[in-house]
Amino acid sequence: MYQGLKLAAVFLTSTVLLAQPAAAQETHFSMSSSAFADNGMMALKYAGKNPANANCIGENVSPPLQWSNPPDGTRSYAIVMHDQEGRLGLGVTHWVAYGIPASTMALPEGAASDATVHGFMNGKNTVGNSAYLGGCPPKGSGTHHYVFTLIATGLEPESLKPDLTMQQMLETIGKNAKAATGLIGRFGH
């Protein structure tokens, strides 16, 4: 009887100990936003603003982003916000940012809303601006999915030149990419 209780206690203790670290130790590279859940709807203020485009009805404020558990050897981060449904499936790059120092683990709301950002560089979006451009999905096109991709790189923050497009930035990072994580925000009229 005592041996059976002892074995049951060992099994129960082992099960509890094995279950706790998995829940308590999130060790994968991840990104989130305090403004919306992954695959959640983004507020109107994060949509694009352009009086000349009736689809751009927001305030063009970049959302807050935070991340954790970067891979070893990370020296900088890059961010891309892309709408693959935009331009009838040809895609729209809304934001390109890079040279974000490895010590940075979050960007506050509005950090990329204009081209005069301190602490990192904004590359060129699809319309050629060097700043965040919120979503402007055409009316009647449904809800679009804005994919935020955070890339950990082995490059020093100042190693990339300013005003790169998404493609130029990705080619420059190339084999220096260490890991990536993503987050989806949705918006539609």
Side-chain angles (χ1 to χ4, degrees):
M1 174 76 171
Y2 174 75
Q3 187 67 18
L5 288 175
K6 186 175 177 184
L7 286 175
V10 168
F11 176 77
L12 181 60
T13 302
S14 298
T15 303
V16 170
L17 289 175
L18 288 174
Q20 285 179 346
Q25 294 182 353
E26 288 288 331
T27 59
H28 65 281
F29 187 37
S30 63
M31 178 173 54
S32 62
S33 177
S34 58
F36 57 92
D38 189 20
N39 204 33
M41 295 298 288
M42 293 191 297
L44 182 62
K45 69 180 170 180
Y46 304 122
K49 179 181 182 178
N50 182 353
N53 183 341
N55 297 316
C56 297
I57 58 172
E59 298 175 29
N60 210 49
V61 174
S62 60
L65 298 172
Q66 51 277 339
W67 51 90
S68 60
N69 302 310
D72 290 341
T74 298
R75 292 193 174 111
S76 68
Y77 301 100
I79 297 175
V80 173
M81 176 186 161
H82 191 76
D83 171 14
Q84 293 184 347
E85 297 147 322
R87 293 189 311 149
L88 304 173
L90 298 177
V92 175
T93 300
H94 286 268
W95 183 28
V96 178
Y98 49 89
I100 303 166
S103 59
T104 302
M105 299 303 282
L107 294 178
E109 182 175 88
S113 297
D114 62 50
T116 57
V117 177
H118 300 284
F120 63 91
M121 291 179 265
N122 276 320
K124 290 190 177 185
N125 55 35
T126 295
V127 297
N129 295 333
S130 292
Y132 172 86
L133 172 65
C136 299
K139 290 180 180 166
S141 68
T143 302
H144 285 219
H145 297 78
Y146 298 90
V147 180
F148 294 82
T149 304
L150 175 69
I151 305 165
T153 84
L155 295 172
E156 293 298 332
E158 64 281 349
S159 64
L160 298 175
K161 61 184 180 177
D163 296 324
L164 297 175
T165 65
M166 177 182 76
Q167 190 61 37
Q168 291 168 329
M169 183 204 59
L170 294 175
E171 287 172 4
T172 303
I173 289 173
K175 63 183 178 188
N176 293 294
K178 297 202 157 286
T181 184
L183 174 69
I184 297 172
R186 296 182 298 135
F187 183 77
H189 293 282

